[in-house]
């Protein structure tokens, strides 16, 4: 074992966990059952605008689990690039509330989809995103976890899908220091990055390091894909049962860009399949 391998930080492995019945009571118990070392949760309905102020007891239990890095996924409806002002207003309010809730449970980041222009093209969509996100970041300040941009699968007029799409996105946000990235392997594959071999995964991560920078990567969503490369469809599959395969995920434990970056699964559950996926990644981590 060389010195680089000896000093490489441990990569925590976990999953998105259910929280119905109590974020801590249900979510933490589920994480423990599947052997998770990190986890991701929703703090409100992911497919609605209604906010949830949480339960003080549950929140305290989440904060106490300092051994488990926690991440929050923002609601799917959020789209900061939309031309619809009503949707934009709801998006800003929803993201602000999610950031505040995330801070309250001690989360390390809030994942938000990079959004769509809907119409009018990418430049217009990025301009609208800038006008809405930068003031929000200044408003909430440094007391909330960073916003983690998650590139999408490439459908429609999405503002960001490939690694290179992140370059103009960060430029639009003036490379704000409170913005990071969450890479989803299924999204990358759907957007055209052929990561179905260790060499392909390495090439994609190399490119991320070159054009974005390893310091921006805060989370990886480890998902296999039900659909082929370049399909522009977001269809997650359990590790090794899709078009990406098992072995390419091993590169996440070797590449310098992903050193120590937590990996959360968003693969089909419930506990049995999730436990198998966690163990598969742990096996790859062991080498």
């Amino acid at each position: 074992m060389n010195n680089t391998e000896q000093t490489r930080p441990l990569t925590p492995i976990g999953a998105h966990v259910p929280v119905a019945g109590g974020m801590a009571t249900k979510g933490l118990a589920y994480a423990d059952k599947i052997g998770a070392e990190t986890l991701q949760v929703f703090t409100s309905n992911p497919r609605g605008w209604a906010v949830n102020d949480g339960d003080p007891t549950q929140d305290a239990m989440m904060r106490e689990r300092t051994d488990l890095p926690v991440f929050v996924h923002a609601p799917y409806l959020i789209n900061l690039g939309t031309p619809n002002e009503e949707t934009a207003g709801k998006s800003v309010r929803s993201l602000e509330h999610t950031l505040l809730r995330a801070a309250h449970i001690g989360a390390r980041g809030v994942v938000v989809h990079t959004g769509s222009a809907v119409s009018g093209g990418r430049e217009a969509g990025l301009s609208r995103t800038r006008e809405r996100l930068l003031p929000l970041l200044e408003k909430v300040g440094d007391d909330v976890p960073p916003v983690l941009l998650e590139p999408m699968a490439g459908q429609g007029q999405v503002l960001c899908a490939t690694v290179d799409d992140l370059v103009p996105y960060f430029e639009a946000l003036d490379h704000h220091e409170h913005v990071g990235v969450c890479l989803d392997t299924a999204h990358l594959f759907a957007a055209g990055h052929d990561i179905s071999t260790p060499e392909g995964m390495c090439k994609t991560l190399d490119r991320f390091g070159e054009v974005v920078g390893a310091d921006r990567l805060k989370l990886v969503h480890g998902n296999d894909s039900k659909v082929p490369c370049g399909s522009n469809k977001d269809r997650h599959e359990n590790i090794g049962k899709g078009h990406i395969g098992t072995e390419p995920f091993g590169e996440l434990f070797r590449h310098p860009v992903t050193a120590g970056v937590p990996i959360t699964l968003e693969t089909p559950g419930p506990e049995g399949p999730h436990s198998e996926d966690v163990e598969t990644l742990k096996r790859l981590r062991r080498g």
Side-chain angles (χ1 to χ4, degrees):
M1 182 178 290
N2 60 40
N3 290 335
T4 300
E5 291 171 331
Q6 288 177 333
T7 59
R8 182 182 175 94
L10 181 73
T11 299
I13 298 166
H16 187 102
V17 301
V19 297
M23 184 181 294
T25 304
K26 177 68 174 183
L28 293 178
Y30 188 95
D32 288 338
K33 285 180 181 178
I34 65 172
E37 302 159 340
T38 182
L39 60 96
Q40 177 180 273
V41 297
F42 292 121
T43 56
S44 59
N45 180 0
R47 293 181 172 80
W49 295 115
V51 298
N52 182 340
D53 291 330
D55 179 290
T57 301
Q58 296 289 318
D59 291 351
M61 292 169 66
M62 293 295 291
R63 291 193 302 271
E64 290 168 2
R65 283 299 299 270
T66 55
D67 60 312
L68 286 173
V70 176
F71 294 86
V72 172
H73 200 304
Y76 298 133
L77 295 181
I78 292 175
N79 182 11
L80 298 175
T82 179
N84 185 299
E85 291 299 332
E86 180 181 359
T87 300
K90 290 178 179 179
S91 295
V92 170
R93 290 190 292 273
S94 178
L95 181 54
E96 179 179 4
H97 185 268
T98 304
L99 286 165
L100 294 173
R101 287 286 297 121
H104 202 62
I105 65 172
R108 298 191 183 186
V110 171
V111 177
V112 61
H113 289 170
T114 44
S116 170
V118 182
S119 62
R122 179 175 295 177
E123 186 174 345
L126 287 175
S127 177
R128 290 189 289 264
T129 300
R130 172 189 175 88
E131 293 171 0
R132 293 155 183 167
L133 184 53
L134 286 182
L136 173 59
L137 292 173
E138 295 307 309
K139 178 181 179 181
V140 296
D142 296 333
D143 293 332
V144 299
V147 170
L148 306 184
L149 304 173
E150 182 179 8
M152 302 168 75
Q155 65 276 33
Q157 293 196 36
V158 296
L159 300 177
C160 183
T162 68
V163 166
D164 284 270
D165 290 341
L166 283 163
V167 175
Y169 210 108
F170 270 98
E171 289 174 349
L173 299 178
D174 297 335
H175 298 274
H176 197 286
E177 62 181 9
H178 218 53
V179 177
V181 175
C182 169
L183 288 180
D184 185 309
T185 54
H187 293 183
L188 288 172
F189 192 65
H193 289 284
D194 189 354
I195 56 173
S196 62
T197 64
E199 294 77 16
M201 183 74 80
C202 180
K203 180 180 178 180
T204 299
L205 295 175
D206 282 345
R207 185 61 180 168
F208 182 91
E210 290 168 5
V211 301
V212 181
D215 60 316
R216 293 286 186 174
L217 186 60
K218 306 300 181 183
L219 182 65
V220 171
H221 285 164
N223 302 306
D224 209 327
S225 176
K226 289 181 182 292
V227 290
C229 182
S231 65
N232 298 136
K233 295 180 180 179
D234 183 9
R235 302 288 187 273
H236 297 185
E237 180 59 284
N238 295 98
I239 304 298
K241 297 182 179 179
H243 289 266
I244 298 175
T246 302
E247 296 310 314
F249 288 92
E251 187 62 24
L252 297 174
F253 304 104
R254 297 187 292 267
H255 200 282
V257 163
T258 46
V261 176
I263 300 174
T264 58
L265 297 155
E266 294 178 322
T267 54
E271 291 174 18
H274 278 163
S275 296
E276 292 178 11
D277 285 344
V278 168
E279 182 50 42
T280 296
L281 292 184
K282 287 182 177 179
R283 174 179 63 79
L284 293 171
R285 185 175 65 186
R286 292 191 294 268

